[in-house]
Amino acid sequence: MNTFSEGQGAPGRASTAVAVSAFDVARVRGLYPALGDGWIHFDPQAGAQIPGAVSSAVANAFRGFVSNPYGVYAAAAHTRSIVQAARVAVADLVGGKPEGVVLGPSREQLLNSLAESLSARLGLGSEIVLCRLDDDANQSPWLRVADRGGGRVRWVEADIETGEVPAWQFEELAGPSTSVIAVPYASSTIGTVIDVAAAAQAAHRVGALLVVDATSAAPYELLDIERLGADVLLVSANRWGGPQVAAMAFRDPSLFGRLRAVNPDRTLTGPERFELGEHQYAMLAGLIASIDHLAGLDESSVGTRRDRLEHSMFGLRQYQQRLLFYLLNSLASAPQVAIIGRAERRVPTVSFTMPGVPAAKAAKRLADNGVCALSNVPSRYFAGLGVPEYGGAVTVGLAPYSTPYDVDQLVRALASLG
C-alpha cells in the first residue's frame, strides 16, 4: 500500500536557495471558497480554483473604478496605477523588470502579437525551432507566420519512453538561419521540464530569440528570467488561480525598440507597443492579488514580494513533489493504468492511458465520483505516440489545495473501471 509522509523522497532536483519551509495545506485550502463544493479538482491546466482574495480584488475593482486611464482626474490616475502595479507584480513573479512586462487577455493573443511583430524576419530562408511537447498556443503562431513567409520549421523531439527532451538537440538544430526558438518551460500534459538554459545557450550562439512559455511551470516553480536566459517569458494567471489575464516579460526592455510595433498608435513606447485595446483593469487587480496569494502560501514568509515568493514557492514545491511521488506510485499500482513519460525533472502533471478504456469514459467515471480531470488534451507528442488511436489519455495535475485524500479518491474511482 502506498503511504504519504513527510519523509518520502520525490522526483526532481531540490532547491537549496532558501531554508526549509513548512507548507500547511489545510490552511491553504481555506483560502479557496470554491472547494466548499465538495469536488476534487485535478484540472488546474483548465484553470485552477480561484482564491477568495482574488475574487474580492476583482469585485472591489469593479465597484471602485471603471475609468479610462488617459484622463487627468483621480479615477484615471488610479487606473494607471493598477496597470503599473500589475507590471511590477509580474516582474516580481518572473524575476524581471516592470518596464519589460506586456499585459494581455491571453497568452494566445500575446504570442500572436509577438509572432506578427517578427514576421518580417521569418520569411524564406529563415528557420524556427519548436518543441513537440509544447502547447498549441506556442506553436500555431510560429507555424502560421512560417507558412505565410516560407520559413522552415524544425522540431525538438521528446524521448518516446521517458518524455524527456535531450538538450543536445538545441545545439544541433540551431544554425545561422535560426531566427526564433520557442519552447515550453514544462509540458502541460506529462510535466517534463525542459532544459531552458541549454536552449538559451543555443539561441544566443546564433543570435536567435528564445521565447519560453512558462504557463505550465509558473504554478509550481519559482521563475527567474535572467537565470533561464529567456529573451521572452510568458505566463497565464488562470493557471495559478488568477483571472483570465496573461503577461509576456522581456528580459531586455530595449528589445521593444527593435521590434515592429503591434499597436497602431505610433506614439506609444515600451510594452504598450505590444498591447492591443483597453486592458481589463479589474482583471489586472485580480492578477496582482493572485501573485500576492502565491507569495503568501507560507504565512511565515517575510520581506519583499520576491522574497516571499521564493520562500512560499519552495515550500509548495517540497509538498507537491512528495504528493507527486505518492500520485505516481498510486497510479502505477492501479490496474490498467499506464503512465505516459517518466522524466526525472518534472512538474506535478501526469497523463495516463487505460488500455481498453477510452479516456473520455474514464474522465466521465471520475466526474461521477466527484473528481475533475481532463481527457484527450490536444498534443502533438501524444499524436506521435499514437495515443488517440488507443482511446486517448487522461491528464491530471496537482494544485496548492491537493491532498493525499484526493489522490486516494482518484485511484479508487479509476479502479472501479477495472
Side-chain angles (χ1 to χ4, degrees):
M1 177 178 294
N2 296 312
T3 59
F4 178 85
S5 68
E6 293 297 318
Q8 277 186 306
R13 297 192 299 264
S15 169
T16 57
V18 294
V20 173
S21 169
F23 182 80
D24 185 351
V25 68
R27 183 190 75 84
V28 169
R29 285 179 62 84
L31 304 177
Y32 294 85
L35 297 182
D37 63 4
W39 283 78
I40 293 171
H41 297 275
F42 278 114
D43 58 341
Q45 299 87 350
Q49 298 304 296
I50 298 176
V54 174
S55 56
S56 294
V58 173
N60 290 338
F62 271 124
R63 286 194 294 265
F65 68 88
V66 179
S67 175
N68 186 297
Y70 304 112
V72 296
Y73 40 88
H78 184 50
T79 299
R80 291 194 297 273
S81 72
I82 288 292
V83 176
Q84 179 57 24
R87 298 195 203 280
V88 171
V90 172
D92 287 340
L93 179 72
V94 304
K97 303 177 179 68
E99 60 270 26
V101 174
V102 180
L103 301 169
S106 68
R107 61 174 172 155
E108 289 84 357
Q109 187 267 316
L110 292 174
L111 280 164
N112 276 310
S113 294
L114 180 62
E116 286 299 322
S117 73
L118 291 166
S119 58
R121 306 184 187 185
L122 302 176
L124 194 64
S126 70
E127 293 183 346
I128 303 172
V129 176
L130 302 179
C131 180
R132 198 75 70 178
L133 274 184
D134 212 342
D135 291 343
D136 185 68
N138 198 25
Q139 294 174 343
S140 292
W142 307 111
L143 292 170
R144 183 168 53 254
V145 297
D147 182 65
R148 189 173 65 213
R152 180 187 181 192
V153 175
R154 308 189 74 184
W155 290 94
V156 172
E157 304 288 353
D159 184 271
I160 293 176
E161 294 292 329
T162 67
E164 294 180 325
V165 175
W168 56 260
Q169 292 182 88
F170 296 112
E171 280 294 334
E172 183 174 276
L173 295 175
S177 300
T178 305
S179 297
V180 172
I181 297 178
V183 299
Y185 188 120
S187 166
S188 65
T189 52
I190 62 173
T192 300
V193 172
I194 309 300
D195 190 342
V196 175
Q201 183 176 358
H204 299 155
R205 176 179 59 80
V206 299
L209 190 76
L210 177 62
V211 180
V212 178
D213 183 359
T215 296
S216 296
Y220 309 113
E221 302 275 335
L222 180 72
L223 304 177
D224 189 330
I225 192 171
E226 291 288 345
R227 180 180 58 81
L228 291 172
D231 296 300
V232 183
L233 192 73
L234 289 107
V235 292
S236 186
N238 71 310
R239 291 293 186 91
W240 64 74
Q244 292 286 343
V245 179
M248 182 166 64
F250 283 67
R251 182 165 53 94
D252 179 6
S254 70
L255 185 59
F256 290 130
R258 305 196 296 272
L259 300 178
R260 182 165 58 87
V262 175
N263 193 306
D265 185 348
R266 301 307 177 196
T267 66
L268 297 177
T269 60
E272 292 183 330
R273 300 175 75 234
F274 291 84
E275 296 173 346
L276 294 172
E278 294 290 330
H279 290 300
Q280 302 176 53
Y281 300 110
M283 297 298 105
L284 294 185
L287 169 64
I288 299 165
S290 72
I291 296 174
D292 284 334
H293 167 79
L294 286 179
L297 286 174
D298 187 331
E299 60 183 345
S300 69
S301 59
V302 295
T304 67
R305 184 195 279 133
R306 179 68 181 179
D307 291 337
R308 289 181 283 117
L309 278 166
E310 183 176 8
H311 191 81
S312 289
M313 294 301 288
F314 179 74
L316 173 64
R317 188 171 188 278
Q318 284 187 312
Y319 170 76
Q320 288 188 325
Q321 287 295 315
R322 291 194 298 272
L323 189 57
L324 172 62
F325 186 88
Y326 183 59
L327 171 64
L328 291 172
N329 278 351
S330 298
L331 288 173
S333 64
Q336 293 187 306
V337 171
I339 299 171
I340 303 174
R342 45 185 175 84
E344 180 180 351
R345 182 80 167 98
R346 65 190 300 168
V347 297
T349 299
V350 181
S351 288
F352 56 89
T353 60
M354 300 186 70
V357 180
K361 179 180 178 180
K364 178 63 166 58
R365 176 63 62 87
L366 290 173
D368 290 343
N369 285 270
V371 179
C372 299
L374 303 177
S375 64
N376 299 315
V377 176
S379 165
R380 282 184 167 83
Y381 176 66
F382 285 172
L385 293 178
V387 170
E389 286 74 24
Y390 287 91
V394 176
T395 300
V396 296
L398 302 182
Y401 41 78
S402 300
T403 67
Y405 170 81
D406 296 342
V407 173
D408 293 340
Q409 292 298 101
L410 169 73
V411 175
R412 187 175 295 114
L414 291 175
S416 69
L417 287 163

